[in-house]
Amino acid sequence: GQSLEQPSEVTAVEGAIVQINCTYQTSGFYGLSWYQQHDGGAPTFLSYNALDGLEETGRFSSFLSRSDSYGYLLLQELQMKDSASYFCAVRDSSYKLIFGSGTRLLVRP
Amino acid sequence: DTGVSQDPRHKITKRGQNVTFRCDPISEHNRLYWYRQTLGQGPEFLTYFQNEAQLEKSRLLSDRFSAERPKGSFSTLEIQRTEQGDSAMYLCASSSDQRVGGTTEKLFFGSGTQLSVL
């Protein structure tokens, strides 16, 4: 089976940097994705890592270490609009994604 | 790209009734997924289609749940004899196996159907 662990809640101030960690256990692994979901909204894709290392997309970066079954999402120059839930998700040998329970990020002024 | 559409947005039903939800994926997407999400939790996988073929169904999914995707276009999710525990947001997502926008791993989600079973 698959399981993912991420912190339930993180608080940071505007302009700061925050890291959201994700550890996973899967029977097969083809990549780690991150999604953002605002209250009442649909999840939206942020990033995908299939190989070890850092992927950067603007203010957001995502890191993967396959040997440690670990990844993180790094958000820089935090803005109030970044307040949302962030989900890590793993793809196994099929094409379905298994999501973690999410990290609620609160950005304070 | 008009996005993934789901209908209805909200559904209130009485326990024991049947309900059906519809999902229209992005037109060129051949993969379609159904997820269920409750408050404070991540989306829970229900089932997945590649074109018209249902390739996987969650082992946690009761026999009361059935999904179809005729002709590989829109999809319907039916819940028979609804129970209060079925109350949740039902999300549909689609993706393509063609490398559009840099990755085939990007799922596009609809806004969901919020089901309340009284």
Side-chain angles (χ1 to χ4, degrees), chain A residues 59-94:
Chain A
R59 295 188 297 114
F60 294 3
S61 303
S62 58
F63 172 82
L64 175 65
S65 169
R66 295 173 65 123
S67 60
D68 295 323
S69 298
Y70 163 77
Y72 66 73
L73 180 69
L74 191 73
L75 297 85
Q76 302 182 71
E77 300 172 17
L78 280 174
Q79 301 175 10
M80 298 297 291
K81 67 178 182 179
D82 297 329
S83 291
S85 292
Y86 292 84
F87 298 93
C88 58
V90 296
R91 184 169 85 78
D92 60 11
S93 54
S94 71

Side-chain angles (χ1 to χ4, degrees), chain A residues 1-2 30-31 33 35 37 40-46 48 87 91-92 94-102, chain B residues 9 31 33 35 37 40-45 48 50 56 59 89 91 103-112:
Chain A
Q2 297 100 340
Y30 282 80
S33 298
Y35 284 75
Q37 186 178 31
T44 57
F45 173 86
L46 292 177
Y48 171 72
F87 298 93
R91 184 169 85 78
D92 60 11
S94 71
Y95 280 95
K96 70 176 184 284
L97 283 187
I98 303 300
F99 286 80
S101 55
Chain B
R9 289 296 307 275
R31 296 179 189 149
Y33 309 79
Y35 284 84
Q37 187 176 28
Q41 298 298 312
E44 176 193 10
F45 172 77
Y48 151 63
Q50 173 102 3
E56 193 165 347
R59 287 170 292 177
M89 174 71 80
L91 294 165
T103 177
T104 60
E105 301 300 319
K106 184 175 180 179
L107 265 60
F108 294 79
F109 280 86
S111 298

Side-chain angles (χ1 to χ4, degrees), chain B residues 9-11 21 35-39 44 46 65 79 83-91 112-117:
Chain B
R9 289 296 307 275
H10 304 274
K11 179 70 176 179
F21 310 141
Y35 284 84
R36 175 171 64 188
Q37 187 176 28
T38 54
L39 199 62
E44 176 193 10
L46 296 179
F65 287 70
I79 309 174
E83 301 172 357
Q84 288 186 327
D86 297 332
S87 296
M89 174 71 80
Y90 288 83
L91 294 165
T113 294
Q114 180 66 53
L115 173 65
S116 298
V117 181

Side-chain angles (χ1 to χ4, degrees), chain A residues 8-70:
Chain A
S8 59
E9 199 170 290
V10 173
T11 302
V13 296
E14 201 173 9
I17 299 173
V18 72
Q19 179 174 313
I20 300 173
N21 299 320
C22 174
T23 56
Y24 59 86
Q25 285 187 319
T26 61
S27 53
F29 178 81
Y30 282 80
L32 182 70
S33 298
W34 289 92
Y35 284 75
Q36 177 192 61
Q37 186 178 31
H38 288 97
D39 286 347
T44 57
F45 173 86
L46 292 177
S47 67
Y48 171 72
N49 295 68
L51 303 175
D52 288 358
L54 192 68
E55 295 278 344
E56 298 181 66
T57 309
R59 295 188 297 114
F60 294 3
S61 303
S62 58
F63 172 82
L64 175 65
S65 169
R66 295 173 65 123
S67 60
D68 295 323
S69 298
Y70 163 77

Side-chain angles (χ1 to χ4, degrees), chain B residues 2 6-7 14 42 61 70-71 73-74 80 101 103 107 109 113:
Chain B
T2 56
Q6 292 189 245
D7 183 70
K14 293 183 179 179
L61 205 59
K71 302 179 183 178
S73 56
F74 71 93
Q80 296 182 327
T103 177
L107 265 60
F109 280 86
T113 294

